Amino acid sequence: MVKLIRDSWAKSEPYIADISQFFYGMLFTLAPTTRDFFPINMEIQRGRLVRALVHIVQMVDRPDDLAPFLRQLGRDHRKFGVVPRHYEAVGTALLASLKNHLGREWTPEVERAWAEAFTIAARAMQDAAAADQNPPSWQATVVEHRRLTWDLALVRLLPEQPVPYHPGQYISVEVPQRPRLWRYLSPANAPREDGGIEFHVRAVDGGWVSRAIVSHTQPGDVWRLGPPLGRLTVDREASRGVLMVAGGTGIAPLRAILDHLALWGENPKTHLFYGGPAREDLYDLEELRALAATNPWLTVTPVVERGGDVPGFEQGTLAEAVTRYGAWPGHDILVSGSPSMIRATVSRMLVAGSALDQIQYDPFTID
């Protein structure tokens, strides 16, 4: 089944723009109310949903990775008002779009493989959504917006009621400046008694939401937050040692975990490599050094790719810096950052001898 799906998708992928256009036209015909799930400007959406669906369906042979994510995703989609008939419409539109572009390559066997895989994924999502007792989403008010650099902002929010996230997880957000354009952000703090959440947001090229947050967010704005996702975590009682690797704003979920660990005097020895292209990209370094100064179990090593020799800094990419120390046997390894940084770091660590089951990262950035 998986081979049929992957082979047929390889033939379809060059035509993703046409497939996506056909898909949305079919979906909005079958289920007109789904149009309200998406931004007014569909050009922004492009092929995201189709790529996400294909990514999920292609992983049906990896149930240990896929099942937890599908359960989280099913709970997350409650914020849109998704009901079972919407899943049926999405599946029908996806298969019709692929059939339309594959032509004679769309055999009964290929269709059966795609239908079975989508059914497995949709059922897992629906079951999780039906079992969830939490609200579909939370409203939160911006109480602080502070520019840390010209393209980076700290945003602190106070939800109407606490969001039940674990340190290391990420949350989908919708901001008033960009309605229906949901994006994922990681809280940079462990849950607090008042429910306050801190996000670190960098404006990226072409980033409609990130640029709006950095440039236009104001105290008093009301955001909508979706259910928590992600599986980054540290078992402080079972772990023998922890290696954290963070690039840029990827420090946020790891900082939340450190914030949580700092509640205890004794923790597993934790070594954090925090890196970026240049010194100014390590915006949170002084805070992390202050945390390490009062918590002897924590070591912080900054890494820069350029800027010459700086005392106390490793030179090179994070992948290069971390693997200079070997394979880190016996350590739980957490990697957080851009998709390219995660790929490069995980690949190099595997070559260096780290075991795949040592390494945690959240590979999904489904928009």
Side-chain angles (χ1 to χ4, degrees):
M1 178 174 71
V2 174
K3 186 178 187 304
L4 287 171
I5 289 171
R6 288 177 178 160
D7 288 348
S8 56
W9 175 245
K11 297 170 185 174
S12 304
E13 194 167 16
Y15 310 102
I16 183 65
D18 294 334
I19 290 173
S20 298
Q21 186 174 1
F22 189 100
F23 168 81
Y24 286 115
M26 175 69 73
L27 176 62
F28 299 155
T29 299
L30 294 171
T33 57
T34 59
R35 182 64 184 86
D36 294 334
F37 300 163
F38 301 97
I40 294 172
N41 183 357
M42 286 298 295
E43 283 301 309
I44 302 170
Q45 187 69 19
R46 294 193 182 99
R48 284 177 177 150
L49 180 57
V50 173
R51 289 187 185 277
L53 290 168
V54 172
H55 193 173
I56 291 168
V57 169
Q58 286 180 322
M59 290 183 63
V60 292
D61 62 336
R62 294 163 54 188
D64 290 345
D65 290 329
L66 183 58
F69 174 70
L70 288 175
R71 288 194 291 269
Q72 291 183 337
L73 201 62
R75 292 192 291 269
D76 187 50
H77 276 61
R78 295 169 63 230
K79 69 194 179 197
F80 298 116
V82 172
V83 295
R85 69 175 181 275
H86 295 142
Y87 286 94
E88 182 179 351
V90 167
T92 300
L94 177 63
L95 269 62
S97 304
L98 294 168
K99 180 179 181 180
N100 182 63
H101 286 80
L102 280 172
R104 286 180 296 180
E105 300 282 353
W106 187 260
T107 65
E109 292 76 20
V110 171
E111 180 169 3
R112 189 177 306 113
W114 278 91
E116 289 179 3
F118 182 83
T119 299
I120 292 169
R123 185 179 298 122
M125 292 175 66
Q126 291 179 71
D127 290 347
D132 193 358
Q133 300 299 312
N134 288 309
S137 63
W138 290 259
Q139 286 196 336
T141 301
V142 175
V143 294
E144 182 183 3
H145 176 271
R146 175 159 43 96
R147 296 284 277 265
L148 302 178
T149 65
W150 70 271
D151 65 344
L152 180 71
L154 180 152
V155 182
R156 194 160 58 87
L157 299 105
L158 193 61
E160 291 183 346
Q161 53 184 307
V163 180
Y165 72 94
H166 299 296
Q169 289 190 301
Y170 56 95
I171 294 171
S172 57
V173 306
E174 181 192 42
V175 303
Q177 292 83 4
R178 295 288 185 265
R180 288 186 263 174
L181 273 177
W182 291 82
R183 291 296 181 268
Y184 290 113
L185 300 176
S186 296
N189 62 283
R192 298 170 177 162
E193 287 188 13
D194 66 356
I197 298 176
E198 179 181 309
F199 292 117
H200 301 167
V201 184
R202 189 181 298 279
V204 298
D205 290 339
W208 285 59
V209 176
S210 64
R211 287 183 175 276
I213 291 173
V214 172
S215 300
H216 303 297
T217 293
Q218 297 180 356
D221 285 354
V222 177
W223 290 16
R224 219 160 41 112
L225 310 180
L229 303 167
R231 294 186 289 164
L232 284 181
T233 188
V234 168
D235 185 339
R236 57 176 299 274
E237 295 183 351
S239 180
R240 290 181 293 160
V242 179
L243 168 65
M244 295 183 171
V245 188
T249 54
I251 190 61
L254 304 186
R255 193 173 185 263
I257 293 173
L258 293 174
D259 187 29
H260 178 68
L261 292 176
L263 296 174
W264 286 271
E266 294 186 7
N267 284 301
K269 291 292 185 182
T270 301
H271 197 142
L272 167 65
F273 286 79
Y274 177 37
R279 170 66 180 84
E280 56 267 23
D281 296 299
L282 308 189
Y283 67 92
D284 205 35
L285 181 57
E286 298 313 313
E287 294 288 336
L288 292 167
R289 281 174 164 168
L291 184 65
T294 56
N295 291 277
W297 47 268
L298 175 62
T299 301
V300 176
T301 299
V303 182
V304 291
E305 297 176 23
R306 59 176 186 267
D309 291 333
V310 181
F313 283 66
E314 292 270 351
Q315 299 293 309
T317 66
L318 281 162
E320 292 167 343
V322 171
T323 52
R324 287 185 193 122
Y325 293 75
W328 298 88
H331 283 69
D332 296 324
I333 302 170
L334 283 66
V335 184
S336 178
S338 68
S340 60
M341 171 265 174
I342 292 174
R343 283 194 297 269
T345 303
V346 172
S347 296
R348 188 136 181 172
M349 295 200 75
L350 293 175
V351 171
S354 300
L356 184 58
D357 61 6
Q358 284 180 258
I359 305 172
Q360 298 180 48
Y361 61 96
D362 280 318
F364 297 102
T365 53
I366 306 290
D367 287 316

